[in-house]
């Protein structure tokens, strides 16, 4: 990896290290304070809601600034300070207020950084996976160890364990403070033109449905495993298996994208994801089946993400449009899809437990595959 790209890898390491704490274990921390499934779902819904509100506004502010790196650092520093509020507020409306503010700040910066990374790569965008892989390493280090640590130290240390990763993210952002401003959007290309770009709407709908299917995984996977008798070490190990396979896939993703193309790779990933959720719904008590399901994370997350990034680079070859396009993707799919996924997961969890929640996730993935295949057929027919 070129020396300059190490700064980008460090940011992904810290940022996804935070997610490695938050995604698997925030539900456990909330439940340990006496809150039920709806409260856990609300915490994740607020998290994803931040993806709807923050990125578009943040992108406008960054576009007007001659020093976008300062905005990146400010967002990361604010996120760390706000997250420390959980040390005092663990219930009532204050809990959700802290969550909402943290979600806005932390979610605002990633679309900006994704655009900075793709712009820095330029024609080498196929190497994105090898930089993004370091985010998976950060996620792995945290997700694999926190279950064991929380079993021994108690759930209350969760916030203290996560704050150093937020500090690392802020430090990594500081290293980008002098990065040059990105080219401004063209005056004759309004933002709604991004939505009308041929191929963009089908991609957004597909990614939204995939994100919807991930709702039960992000909200209740740890609790689902605990309900079926797995201890903290086993839970952490299962998360680690998924992320190890994810890391290996990010390393190989450039070759897969170049060989098969983004559309075919995305279709294969969605199919694997649907099968994965069926396994989690039906065989959660078996560590072996859960390990097999986690192996498919290489496709359902890493290869899918790399394929999506390649498709975005194809749809928006002009660098000046990339930041706004990333904000649209992040907010619409990850934001709206995440909120709806958390709500769906909470409702299904309360009514039928993890089995119903993950069965609903499988149905969403099947719908995503149907949309994707249908749109690819239309593209093929249009070019015939």
């Amino acid at each position: 990896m070129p020396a300059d790209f190490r700064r980008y890898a460090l940011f992904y390491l810290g940022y996804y290290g935070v997610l490695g704490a938050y995604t698997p274990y925030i539900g456990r921390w909330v439940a340990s304070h006496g809150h039920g499934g709806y409260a856990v779902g609300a915490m994740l819904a607020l998290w994803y809601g931040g993806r709807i509100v923050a990125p578009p506004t943040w992108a406008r502010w960054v576009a007007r600034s001659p020093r976008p790196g300062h905005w990146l650092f400010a967002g990361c520093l604010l996120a760390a300070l706000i997250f420390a509020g959980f040390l005092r507020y663990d219930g009532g409306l204050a809990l959700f207020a802290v969550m909402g503010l943290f979600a806005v700040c932390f979610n605002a910066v990633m679309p900006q950084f994704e655009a900075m990374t793709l712009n820095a790569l330029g024609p080498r965008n196929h190497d994105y996976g090898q930089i993004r892989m370091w985010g998976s390493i950060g996620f792995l280090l945290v997700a694999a160890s926190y279950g064991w640590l929380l079993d021994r130290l108690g759930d209350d240390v969760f916030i203290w364990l996560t704050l150093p990763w937020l500090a690392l993210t802020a430090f990594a952002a500081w290293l980008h403070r002098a990065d040059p401003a990105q080219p401004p959007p063209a005056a004759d290309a309004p933002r709604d033109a991004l939505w009308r770009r041929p191929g963009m709407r089908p991609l957004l709908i597909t990614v939204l449905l995939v994100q919807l299917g991930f709702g039960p995984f992000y909200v209740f996977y740890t609790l689902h495993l605990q309900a079926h008798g797995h201890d903290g070490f086993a839970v952490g190990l299962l998360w680690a298996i998924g992320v190890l396979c994810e890391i290996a896939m990010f390393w190989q993703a450039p070759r897969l994208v170049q060989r098969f193309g983004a559309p075919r790779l995305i279709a294969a990933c969605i199919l694997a994801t649907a099968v994965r959720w069926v396994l989690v719904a039906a065989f959660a008590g078996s560590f072996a089946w859960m390990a097999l399901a986690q192996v498919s994370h290489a496709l359902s997350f890493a290869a899918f993400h790399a394929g999506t990034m390649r498709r975005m680079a194809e749809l928006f070859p002009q660098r000046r449009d990339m930041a706004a396009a990333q904000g649209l993707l992040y907010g619409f799919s990850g934001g709206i899809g995440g909120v709806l996924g958390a709500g769906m997961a909470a409702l299904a969890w309360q009514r039928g437990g993890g089995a119903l929640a993950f069965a609903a996730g499988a149905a969403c993935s099947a719908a995503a595959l149907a949309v994707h295949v249908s749109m690819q057929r239309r593209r093929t027919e249009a070019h015939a």
Side-chain angles (χ1 to χ4, degrees):
M1 181 187 300
D4 187 57
F5 289 155
R6 293 174 188 170
R7 297 182 298 130
Y8 295 85
L10 183 64
F11 185 89
Y12 283 113
L13 177 73
Y15 189 94
Y16 283 95
V18 176
L19 292 186
Y22 184 87
T23 303
Y25 299 111
I26 189 65
R28 174 173 172 169
W29 181 75
V30 172
S32 72
H33 287 85
H35 303 292
Y38 286 127
V40 175
M43 288 289 283
L44 270 295
L46 284 169
W47 166 256
Y48 289 113
R51 294 186 175 184
I52 302 172
V53 176
T57 303
W58 193 263
R60 287 194 292 270
W61 291 343
V62 169
R64 297 171 184 169
S65 173
R67 297 177 178 178
H70 287 201
W71 284 92
L72 182 72
F73 172 70
C76 293
L77 181 61
L78 281 173
L81 294 175
I82 292 168
F83 190 84
F86 285 127
L87 294 171
R88 179 173 181 181
Y89 302 108
D90 56 18
L93 292 178
L95 171 69
F96 299 109
V98 173
M99 181 64 249
L101 291 172
F102 170 68
V104 166
C105 292
F106 201 64
N107 280 310
V109 299
M110 182 47 74
Q112 176 193 357
F113 192 76
E114 291 273 40
M116 292 167 65
T117 302
L118 291 173
N119 286 334
L121 286 170
R124 297 179 56 186
N125 60 70
H126 56 274
D127 288 332
Y128 166 84
Q130 295 183 11
I131 296 176
R132 172 61 180 79
M133 175 189 71
W134 287 92
S136 301
I137 292 174
F139 194 103
L140 169 66
L141 292 173
V142 176
S145 61
Y146 274 31
W148 181 84
L149 288 171
L150 294 178
D151 278 356
R152 281 150 184 78
L153 301 178
D155 293 324
D156 285 339
V157 304
F158 168 73
I159 305 302
W160 287 108
L161 290 174
T162 307
L163 283 171
W165 287 94
L166 283 157
L168 174 61
T169 307
F171 170 74
W174 176 250
L175 298 179
H176 290 271
R177 66 191 183 279
D179 284 12
Q182 299 171 21
D188 58 349
R191 291 185 178 276
D192 60 356
L194 302 176
W195 169 261
R196 295 196 304 267
R197 185 72 58 93
M200 185 59 171
R201 280 174 288 184
L203 180 64
L204 288 176
I205 294 170
T206 298
V207 179
L208 182 147
L209 287 169
V210 170
Q211 183 68 50
L212 191 65
F214 264 89
F217 179 72
Y218 288 140
V219 181
F220 291 113
Y221 184 62
T222 295
L223 296 178
H224 183 53
L225 294 175
Q226 287 182 316
H228 284 81
H230 301 286
D231 62 13
F233 177 79
V235 172
L237 183 57
L238 285 169
W239 279 97
I241 290 171
V243 182
L244 281 170
C245 294
E246 173 187 319
I247 292 170
M249 178 56 73
F250 269 126
W251 190 258
Q252 296 297 323
R255 297 184 181 89
L256 292 177
V257 172
Q258 290 182 313
R259 179 174 180 180
F260 297 106
R264 283 192 291 176
L265 182 61
I266 289 172
C269 293
I270 298 173
L271 177 61
T273 303
V275 174
R276 177 187 185 184
W277 302 146
V278 170
L279 292 177
V280 175
F283 303 108
S286 168
F287 184 88
W289 279 110
M290 290 302 91
L292 179 62
Q294 284 297 88
V295 168
S296 69
H297 195 67
L299 290 172
S300 58
F301 181 80
F304 180 80
H305 186 70
T308 301
M309 289 299 101
R310 165 56 72 90
R311 186 68 183 132
M312 287 291 289
E314 293 171 352
L315 291 173
F316 301 97
Q318 294 182 325
R319 295 171 61 186
R320 64 192 180 190
D321 293 333
M322 183 56 73
Q326 284 288 343
L328 179 61
L329 175 71
Y330 202 67
F332 183 85
S333 58
I336 297 175
V339 170
L340 294 177
M344 177 200 73
L347 184 61
W349 178 270
Q350 290 294 121
R351 295 194 174 187
L356 180 59
F358 282 96
C364 293
S365 298
L369 182 60
V371 170
H372 179 72
V373 171
S374 174
M375 295 310 301
Q376 293 310 309
R377 286 178 177 172
R378 292 184 184 181
R379 286 183 61 198
T380 301
E381 292 170 357
H383 289 85

